[in-house]
C-alpha cells in the first residue's frame, strides 16, 4: 500500500466511528471467520457462503456492520470532493436519482445533495445497527421478525454509495491509487447480496448494466 493510500485509509479519515464486535461473542467469532476467509485469499464467491452450522441472521448481521464500516471509509476518502456544489443531487449518473425518506423529517421521498443524503444515510444506519431490538448482541436473544427486511434496506441504501462513488468520483479514487481496494470491497458486497438475495435487481442495475 502506498503512503498516499495509507494516509487515506487511516482512522482519522473515517466518516464516523466504527461499530465493533465484542470479543468473546458469537458475532465476534463469526467476524473473525469471515475475515480469515478473505485474508486467506479465498475466492470471494466462496467467502460469502454461509459457514456450515451457522445462523443466517448472524452471518448477515456481521456483514451488514462490516460493509457499513468499509463503505463509510470509502466515502470518507472522497468526501472532500463530494460537496453541495459538485453533487447538488444524490445520483448515479443521469438515469438514477436517489431521494431520501425516513420516519422523521423526510416523510416523503426528497431530493437532496449527495453529501446531505450520505450524512442522513450513515446516521440512520448507525441507529439501526446499534439498536439491540434489531441487532441483538447477547447470545440467545432472538432476532426480530423484521430483521431481514431492515438488513435489506440498509444494504440497498449502502449500494447507492458505491453507485455514486463509481460514477461521480472514480477519478478521485484512481488518483489516490485506491481502485483495487474499492473494487474488491464492491465485489465482496455484490457477491454477498446476490448470494442471499438481499438487494432487488433494480437497485443493482446502475453498476451491472
Amino acid at each position: 500500500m502506498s503512503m498516499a493510500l495509507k494516509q487515506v485509509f487511516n482512522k482519522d479519515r473515517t466518516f464516523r466511528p466504527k461499530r465493533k464486535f465484542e470479543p468473546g461473542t458469537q458475532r465476534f467469532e463469526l467476524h473473525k471467520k469471515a475475515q480469515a476467509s478473505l485474508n486467506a485469499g479465498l475466492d470471494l464467491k466462496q467467502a460469502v457462503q454461509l459457514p456450515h452450522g451457522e445462523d443466517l441472521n448472524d452471518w448477515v448481521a456481521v456483514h451488514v456492520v462490516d460493509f457499513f464500516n468499509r463503505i463509510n471509509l470509502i466515502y470518507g476518502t472522497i468526501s472532500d470532493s463530494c460537496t453541495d456544489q459538485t453533487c447538488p443531487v444524490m445520483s448515479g449518473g443521469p438515469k438514477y436519482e436517489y431521494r431520501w425518506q425516513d420516519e422523521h423529517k423526510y416523510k416523503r421521498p426528497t431530493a437532496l445533495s449527495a453529501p446531505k443524503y450520505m450524512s442522513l444515510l450513515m446516521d440512520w444506519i448507525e441507529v439501526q445497527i446499534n439498536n439491540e431490538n434489531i441487532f441483538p448482541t447477547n447470545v440467545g436473544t432472538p432476532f426480530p421478525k423484521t430483521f431481514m427486511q431492515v438488513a435489506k434496506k440498509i444494504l440497498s441504501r449502502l449500494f447507492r454509495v458505491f453507485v455514486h462513488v463509481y460514477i461521480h468520483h472514480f477519478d478521485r479514487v484512481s488518483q489516490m491509487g485506491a481502485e483495487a481496494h474499492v473494487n474488491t470491497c464492491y465485489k465482496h458486497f455484490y457477491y454477498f447480496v446476490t448470494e442471499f438475495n438481499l438487494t432487488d435487481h433494480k437497485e443493482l442495475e446502475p453498476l451491472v448494466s
Side-chain angles (χ1 to χ4, degrees), residues 13 19 38 58 86 128 172 182:
R13 296 283 303 183
R19 165 76 194 269
L38 292 174
D58 272 318
T86 61
Q128 309 307 308
R172 180 84 176 114
V182 175

Side-chain angles (χ1 to χ4, degrees), residues 112-161:
L112 298 170
S113 69
K116 179 69 175 166
Y117 184 102
M118 297 293 187
S119 181
L120 288 167
L121 172 60
M122 299 306 177
D123 283 344
W124 176 78
I125 295 176
E126 207 163 21
V127 168
Q128 309 307 308
I129 64 177
N130 286 299
N131 184 339
E132 284 284 331
N133 294 323
I134 302 172
F135 281 74
T137 54
N138 294 326
V139 176
T141 303
F143 283 87
K145 289 178 181 174
T146 55
F147 170 72
M148 220 38 105
Q149 185 185 334
V150 175
K152 285 181 179 181
K153 193 168 184 179
I154 291 172
L155 292 167
S156 293
R157 286 180 162 183
L158 279 175
F159 185 78
R160 296 172 182 183
V161 182

Side-chain angles (χ1 to χ4, degrees), residues 10-175:
N10 69 25
K11 62 182 179 182
D12 299 325
R13 296 283 303 183
T14 309
F15 196 46
R16 61 196 58 231
K18 290 178 77 169
R19 165 76 194 269
K20 292 181 179 171
F21 302 103
E22 288 299 315
T25 62
Q26 185 182 12
R27 207 73 53 75
F28 180 77
E29 294 306 317
L30 269 181
H31 178 67
K32 280 205 310 188
K33 192 178 284 190
Q35 290 306 304
S37 296
L38 292 174
N39 294 337
L42 193 66
D43 179 81
L44 287 171
K45 279 187 181 176
Q46 280 182 274
V48 300
Q49 291 171 9
L50 180 68
H52 181 70
E54 298 295 353
D55 177 69
L56 178 60
N57 285 337
D58 272 318
W59 190 237
V60 170
V62 163
H63 281 81
V64 167
V65 173
D66 193 43
F67 286 133
F68 169 65
N69 288 334
R70 287 166 183 248
I71 293 169
N72 227 331
L73 187 57
I74 288 170
Y75 182 69
T77 67
I78 60 90
S79 59
D80 57 351
S81 59
C82 182
T83 67
D84 292 340
Q85 287 71 44
T86 61
C87 305
V89 175
M90 172 58 181
S91 62
K95 280 176 70 179
Y96 301 93
E97 180 183 327
Y98 302 119
R99 299 189 170 206
W100 181 257
Q101 184 176 16
D102 57 33
E103 304 81 33
H104 307 293
K105 187 177 175 183
Y106 300 97
K107 296 196 175 177
R108 292 184 178 182
T110 307
L112 298 170
S113 69
K116 179 69 175 166
Y117 184 102
M118 297 293 187
S119 181
L120 288 167
L121 172 60
M122 299 306 177
D123 283 344
W124 176 78
I125 295 176
E126 207 163 21
V127 168
Q128 309 307 308
I129 64 177
N130 286 299
N131 184 339
E132 284 284 331
N133 294 323
I134 302 172
F135 281 74
T137 54
N138 294 326
V139 176
T141 303
F143 283 87
K145 289 178 181 174
T146 55
F147 170 72
M148 220 38 105
Q149 185 185 334
V150 175
K152 285 181 179 181
K153 193 168 184 179
I154 291 172
L155 292 167
S156 293
R157 286 180 162 183
L158 279 175
F159 185 78
R160 296 172 182 183
V161 182
F162 274 123
V163 175
H164 185 74
V165 169
Y166 266 107
I167 293 174
H168 296 280
H169 300 288
F170 205 71
D171 55 341
R172 180 84 176 114
V173 171
S174 299
Q175 195 180 25

